[in-house]
Amino acid sequence: MRAIVDQEFAAERARYALRHACEDCVFFVDETGRCANGYPNAMHRDAAFMVGAPVDGTFCKDFELR
Ligand code: SF4
């Protein structure tokens, strides 16, 4: 699911400490920045959910909270 990343989303993300990106997923490999399941993950990383990011943030259906 693609997210509309705007100031409102950024504020809610911070207010509720939302965890949805690769960096908080059990399948994220810290050493490489890649997904252990082999998915391309640039659009699922934290940076993609920042306002003005060059890549649109997209929620991953395989996300599992660490
Ligand atoms: S399963 Fe999805 S959210 Fe988790 S590391 Fe892989 S791409 Fe990222």
Side-chain angles (χ1 to χ4, degrees), residues 16-43:
Y16 300 113
L18 298 179
R19 298 289 178 255
H20 54 80
C22 292
E23 285 81 351
D24 290 305
C25 176
V26 71
F27 300 117
F28 184 66
V29 182
D30 292 309
E31 293 77 14
T32 62
R34 296 184 178 205
C35 172
N37 292 338
Y39 299 133
N41 66 349
M43 74 292 278

Side-chain angles (χ1 to χ4, degrees), residues 28-65:
F28 184 66
V29 182
D30 292 309
E31 293 77 14
T32 62
R34 296 184 178 205
C35 172
N37 292 338
Y39 299 133
N41 66 349
M43 74 292 278
H44 302 312
R45 300 279 306 263
D46 257 336
F49 291 90
M50 300 299 166
V51 175
V55 178
D56 286 342
T58 306
F59 293 101
C60 176
K61 289 166 60 175
D62 257 10
F63 174 85
E64 292 282 345
L65 186 63

